[in-house]
Amino acid sequence: MGNIETENIRIAPGVKLPPVDPQEDFKGYRGRAKALLEKTGARVWCDVVLDTARGEFVGVLLPRSETADDRHLVIKLTYNGYNIGVAVDTITGITINGYKRGHYQIPEKAFPYDEAKPNVTLLGTGGTIASRLDYRTGAVIPAFSPGELYGAVPELADICNLQTYKLYGEFSENIGPKHWAGTAEAIAKEIEKGVAGVVIGHGTDTMHYTAAALTFMLQDLPVPVVVVGSQRSSDRPSSDAAYNLIRAVQTAAYGDFAEVMICMFGPTSDSYDLLHRGTRVRKMHSSYRSTFRTLSDTPIARVDDEGFHPIKSETQYRHRNPENKVKVRNVFDERVSIVWYYPNMQPDVIDSLVDNGYKGIIIAGTGLGHVNKPLYPALKRAIDAGVHIFMTVQTLWGYVQMFVYDTGRDIMELGVTPLGNMLPEVAYVKLGWVLGHTHEREEVIEMMRTTVNGEWTEREPFDGYLLFQGGLPELEYYYKRYRL
Amino acid sequence: MSEWKELGFKAGLEIHHQINTEKKLFCKCPVQPYSDVWHAEMLRHMRPTMSELGEYDGTALMEFKTKKEIIYRLNRETVCTYEMDDDPPFPINQEAVDKALTIALAFQCKIVGELHVIRKQYLDGSIPAGFQRTTIVGVDGILTLASGKQVEIIQIGLEEDSCREVSDIGHRITYYTDRLSIPLIEVVTGPTLDTPEEAAEATERIGRLLRATGFARRGIGAVRQDVNLSIEGGTRVEIKGVPRIPRIPALLSYEAHRQAALLEIAAELKVRGFAEGDRPGELIKTNPKSVEFENPILRATQIAGDEIALVKLPQATGFLSKSLTQGHTFADEFAGRVRVVACLDSTPNLYHTDGASGGLNEVDRKTVIEEAGASEKDVVVVLFGNTRDITTAANEVLDRWAEAILGIPNETRQALADNTTDFERVLPGPDRMYPDTDSPPFEIVEKRIEKAAKYVPELPWDREERYRKLGIPEDIAVDLAIDPLAELLDKTIREEKLQPLRAGEVLSRFKKAERRKHPDLKQPSKEQWQQILDAMADKKVYREGVPTLIRQLCAQPEISLNNILEDESRIPLNNQTINSHITKEISDFDFTSAYHKNNIPTLIMCNIMKKVSGQIPGAEIWALVKEQVAMHD
């Protein structure tokens, strides 16, 4: 700890500190830094003057990220709002001149109600649609209420009457089968109340798993279910959160769709969102705004401030239909895994899954759906033990075609079932869902091969395969002429 | 008491200077000369967000009102997904941090214990993220002026540069992105400069000290100067984009006068019974269809089906036409807001009824007053344009009129070509700062500061003085005081093998002359300059031979200096050889061609120097030439 003498600890006359709150007062500080605060009586949100070996620093003492070291205090410099760290060891004196606690809160305003507008429900599971700073980790955490959302995105009130419920507050990597089941149930309840559509706020990382799960768990939808998130958190002026939320709410309120869809940026420009079918979509870039892409197919439609521009023809998507009664089938058997095949994979990878009680395996095979020969006995053993094994492709685009090469025929012979152009993640979700219904081999295969909504398409259109690459003359022309 | 003291003139500076690094600040894009070549465009909008203390920034809200479409032009070579705000930042460029530390130490700043990257919001679109990543390296430094006055350096920041604007027309602003994220040093002084001249001097000194480190990037747009100015009874106004130092005194005088005039208006308004918090005035009417204006622009607006709005400002007579400063009336304050916020950027963008400067003829003026139901004491402002913008514009006029009672609004203003200023945006405050949650803080250890301190240059003005005392001419002293090559001159001075004047001449005059003549050639390295000086000290080459030597080094960087000096044409000559040269020249010389006898030695000297330049000191040749010519006579 610093060389701070007791006589160098000063509290300006008239300064009143609130009652001690061990949770808040040293937020994020530990070790030496915390000891210094305790000794001096300074706390987070105090106005302080720090005398140090490197000079004097004046500012507000801020909470510190828990993962940062214990050798610095963070202060926000008073006159310019910059944050800096001051090394604890250099501090020789401290004066406390005041206390003002910061409140980061989006101004909450009552969401206006207009009888003429459709009702939409937004269910929150987490993610960065609305978020605020978390000093504990230094990262952002979600904030969420209709009032907050209205405060942040007032345009929503021009579209609909919005209700919001917070189901979960999870980063999307923490979302799993239990959340899918709970969300499906909550959506069905809202639909039964007669809303025009439901929007699900979700972190983007696993959004496509959730969209697939909801597609299987909610059948005969009368209205759209729109899953939405953002790639740039809403605490940034350039965030895509507001735009995505507006488009998702617009789709839920007015879109002539009755499917589970993901609504996210089409290009990186603020131009339009794409509506992706929940079973054909995948997060394809770790950070790009336009990260979600429909694979081996086209998105259903484009949505912008002028309205909806279908990409698929009328007969290729399900339309809003109040006659439909939604059926909830939110079962899931968690003993399912994905195996991403790589050259020289050893059979013990499969064996260990079987020995650990897994009941279903989705293989993402090479090329048209292949694995190496040494794996055959392990696959045989697994199938004999009653494990359901299905083949998808790690090329992500295209079909499993196991008749083309002998390898494919041999693998099928072992009892591995090809799944067409089903995406590996979607196959994983579907197998868990199917095994929630039955473990009968024939029934499982039958259900896996029966399409619920587009997870296996009969044909791939010529423009279902698009990768954004430089050097293609037609793309060069496009992004110079029409924007990225 | 001087005029400035009477006004309570207080100026402070924010100097932004790019620093030379190989890569950009938060990604691995190369720092390259600007280019207008682009391969793709991207469209974005900005929304205001809150500071971590839970407050919105005024500038951010104003910029949101403008509802701009922002277009970015992307060049594949100089921009990656980071600049596009499609990727989080990579760890901060350590080369830039080290150079920033040296600069902070050069200004005697206290170095922070830990760097925290902060987001500073800019909703004007100049940065695709909507914020600039910036960090403070040091605080509380000193700049000494020639008078001995010490100016406080509040902070030295290291931040990423913004985009270059291509155009800003109506609701669309377009930028090139190559400049984006180049490391930029920000030097901020306290508001302690008491006259326009002092502000100019401090600007110059900061620039010279930055240059002296050798880390300052050169070229167009590498430096940008902002000046903050307030007078007694007013508030801080920031003037952005101050172009050249000699213009600073005029710019600040005009701005100080503008502020003084605004305070006079506020005082007069108080006398007339206006109070703070009032929002006098109202939007009377839009689209007076029954009226036919004589003014051609208003007429055209009507024909085009656009809107005309009348805003009544009660008891404003005499104010709008009041001159604030050189060529600017109070009405220009309104025009500036309307131009920026409502994006009505044609000129003029408003008319008013306060006298002839309002731009309306007597007929239209009467019509407007009548339509607005105004009295002769009121002023009516006439706005015209599309429906959406006209409402914004009317509100801006009313807001600005409400601010008149406060005197001087907190504004950022742009410097115009005539040394006056115009509104750019509401002055941003600390509320636009937000911690960068994508970048972890990192510690600046003592060892690193010690290392950075080794590169702190001698203060340029001290160095200049030292050179002057050694008899080095003014132009060389001033030039080398901010040139890293001065190190070589200092070495020469220490070693006493070569006259300092000769070394200075090579490092400054010869260097500049060669660069001017052959701007495309690669300049010699520091080592090569040292070799040249060594060769001169060893009498392997004389002063007159140096320019061609520099040229050869530049043109053929792969050839060593020694190789060049081994060439027969470069080997020093003895007196005997040179005398035979002179004899030959004299015998070849046509003595009848000279106009004047006194010119003959010079003409012969010229011919000889073309052949033996640098192989023997010129002064020696000259003496021999004069001797032989005299004998010839």
Side-chain angles (χ1 to χ4, degrees), chain A residues 45 54-57 62 64 68-69 71-72 74 76-87 100 102-107 132-133 135 138-140 151-155 232 234-238 242 246 268-271 285 287-289 470-471 476 479-480 483-484, chain B residues 38-47 49-56 71 74 76 81 84-88 110-114 116 118-121 123 128-131 133-136 139-140 154-155 159 172 186 430 433-435 437-438 441 443-446 449:
Chain A
W45 305 120
R54 291 188 191 171
E56 186 187 87
F57 298 94
L62 289 182
R64 185 162 170 83
D69 67 40
R71 300 189 307 277
H72 295 85
V74 185
K76 180 181 257 317
L77 295 174
T78 304
Y79 73 94
N80 67 2
Y82 276 82
N83 294 3
I84 62 162
V86 178
K100 188 196 169 200
H103 288 281
Y104 183 91
Q105 210 177 9
I106 296 166
R132 65 190 172 86
L133 188 72
Y135 276 111
V140 284
V153 193
E155 295 97 315
R232 296 282 91 76
S234 59
D235 59 350
R236 311 156 66 110
S238 61
I246 291 166
T268 186
S269 287
D270 295 352
S271 308
H285 197 282
S287 57
Y288 241 92
R289 284 165 171 74
E476 300 279 330
Y479 42 65
K480 185 131 187 175
R483 288 186 201 132
L484 274 180
Chain B
W38 54 279
H39 304 109
E41 274 191 342
M42 175 174 91
L43 164 74
R44 293 280 167 77
H45 302 92
M46 298 291 163
R47 301 177 76 89
T49 63
M50 243 170 295
S51 81
E52 84 230 83
L53 299 177
E55 279 153 62
Y56 280 110
I71 311 286
L74 311 171
R76 188 173 275 130
T81 48
M84 292 164 67
D85 191 39
D86 263 324
D87 224 329
K110 322 300 189 272
I111 303 297
V112 301
E114 220 178 25
H116 283 246
I118 294 283
R119 302 173 180 175
K120 194 196 284 179
Q121 275 198 19
L123 273 71
F131 53 77
R133 287 193 166 88
T134 169
T135 179
I136 285 204
V139 301
D140 199 12
I154 295 185
Q155 73 191 50
E159 53 195 32
R172 171 169 302 186
E186 185 193 40
M433 311 299 278
Y434 191 87
T437 48
D438 302 326
E443 193 176 3
I444 305 287
V445 293
E446 219 50 57
I449 299 175

Side-chain angles (χ1 to χ4, degrees), chain A residues 31-90:
Chain A
R32 288 191 287 167
K34 189 175 176 195
L36 179 107
L37 293 181
E38 282 171 340
K39 179 175 173 188
T40 59
R43 323 186 189 156
V44 163
W45 305 120
C46 277
D47 267 328
V48 291
V49 178
L50 300 175
D51 306 316
T52 81
R54 291 188 191 171
E56 186 187 87
F57 298 94
V58 185
V60 179
L61 196 60
L62 289 182
R64 185 162 170 83
S65 163
E66 268 178 6
T67 50
D69 67 40
D70 71 341
R71 300 189 307 277
H72 295 85
L73 302 182
V74 185
I75 62 168
K76 180 181 257 317
L77 295 174
T78 304
Y79 73 94
N80 67 2
Y82 276 82
N83 294 3
I84 62 162
V86 178
V88 169
D89 286 342
T90 63

